[in-house]
Amino acid sequence: MQEVFYEESVSVHNEKPVRFRYKLFTVFGVIFFLSAALALILLWGLMLTPVEEGAEIDLKSILLNMVPYLVMFVLMLAGGIFLFVKRHSFYVSYDYTFVSGELRISKVLHGRKRKLLYRISDEKYVKIGRVGSESYKKLKSSPDIKEDILTPNEEAAEDKEFYYIQATTSVGKKLLILECRQELLANILHYTRRNLLESEFNRK
């Protein structure tokens, strides 16, 4: 059979709230890092506090005084790292790549980090249809099928729609929600040579 390659990407349509959350997490991340640095300075200052000659050193008291600054340093450092890493998750996009029968779905964070989520081969497709159809509603309510939304948007772009692909994956039965053009579905159907469409697909 002839080799087939088709690829689509879907990113955030409305970037304004995304940019706001990104800046917010960045600002708070900087504040957390500065707080961690302050705690470290105070901790270092406490360690270097001079002791009067001949005075008895109370090691237990010194350690107890250091604990609050040490805890503050650890918490602020961990919080800053979390916020700086998490801020990239707001700029999320997905790549759908169809290569000769296999659909590969990847998640991309801020255009930097790519993670392959699914590889759906020919025999793993079960059904394809539109989100919101009766077939979709029945599948979504099934307790043994887990839905995975693979788009960052609540509304589809003008030239795209929300479709579902019911598939058997390495982590169980899945209802994969894609925001794509019909060309992607057409390539899957053409290559698999199977009738995977829901019965009401063409009634729209």
Side-chain angles (χ1 to χ4, degrees):
M1 188 177 289
Q2 183 180 0
E3 292 292 307
V4 177
F5 178 85
Y6 181 84
E7 185 175 33
E8 280 195 41
S9 295
V10 57
S11 55
V12 177
H13 302 328
N14 184 9
E15 288 196 8
K16 187 176 180 180
V18 171
R19 285 197 300 270
F20 174 76
R21 289 194 292 267
Y22 178 84
K23 291 178 181 178
L24 189 67
F25 271 54
T26 300
V27 169
F28 275 95
V30 171
I31 293 174
F32 272 54
F33 282 133
L34 291 176
S35 299
L38 176 62
L40 190 61
I41 292 172
L42 294 174
L43 183 63
W44 186 253
L46 188 63
M47 293 174 64
L48 297 180
T49 300
V51 179
E52 294 182 8
E53 187 176 351
E56 184 178 348
I57 299 175
D58 187 350
L59 184 60
K60 183 178 179 181
S61 178
I62 293 175
L63 291 176
L64 287 175
N65 289 332
M66 290 172 61
V67 167
Y69 299 111
L70 184 61
V71 171
M72 179 181 173
F73 169 72
V74 172
L75 290 178
M76 293 298 104
L77 181 63
I81 293 173
F82 171 79
L83 290 170
F84 261 65
V85 172
K86 186 67 177 178
R87 64 183 179 154
H88 294 296
S89 66
F90 299 120
Y91 281 96
V92 62
S93 60
Y94 292 87
D95 289 340
Y96 315 135
T97 306
F98 184 76
V99 184
S100 297
E102 183 179 75
L103 178 62
R104 301 169 188 172
I105 302 175
S106 300
K107 184 177 183 178
V108 184
L109 297 179
H110 215 155
R112 302 177 181 183
K113 186 178 180 181
R114 175 185 296 272
K115 181 181 180 181
L116 179 64
L117 300 178
Y118 297 102
R119 299 182 68 160
I120 312 298
S121 54
D122 184 15
E123 70 279 1
K124 293 181 180 179
Y125 298 107
V126 180
K127 185 182 287 187
I128 294 174
R130 285 190 172 91
V131 171
S133 67
E134 289 303 316
S135 293
Y136 164 76
K137 293 174 183 177
K138 290 178 182 178
L139 290 170
K140 184 178 173 65
S141 63
S142 177
D144 63 334
I145 299 178
K146 301 298 182 182
E147 184 180 47
D148 194 356
I149 299 176
L150 303 169
T151 171
N153 303 306
E154 295 183 0
E155 293 185 8
E158 289 185 9
D159 58 340
K160 298 180 180 181
E161 288 186 61
F162 290 129
Y163 298 103
Y164 71 83
I165 295 179
Q166 182 190 1
T168 303
T169 72
S170 58
V171 290
K173 297 178 182 178
K174 288 285 185 176
L175 197 60
L176 308 177
I177 308 303
L178 312 182
E179 178 189 350
C180 63
R181 300 178 182 88
Q182 279 199 17
E183 283 83 350
L184 176 60
L185 308 185
N187 277 288
I188 295 174
L189 296 170
H190 176 74
Y191 197 92
T192 59
R193 305 287 186 183
R194 291 191 288 133
N195 184 17
L196 299 172
L197 288 180
E198 61 184 14
S199 58
E200 68 268 42
F201 187 85
N202 293 315
R203 295 177 190 170
K204 184 179 178 182

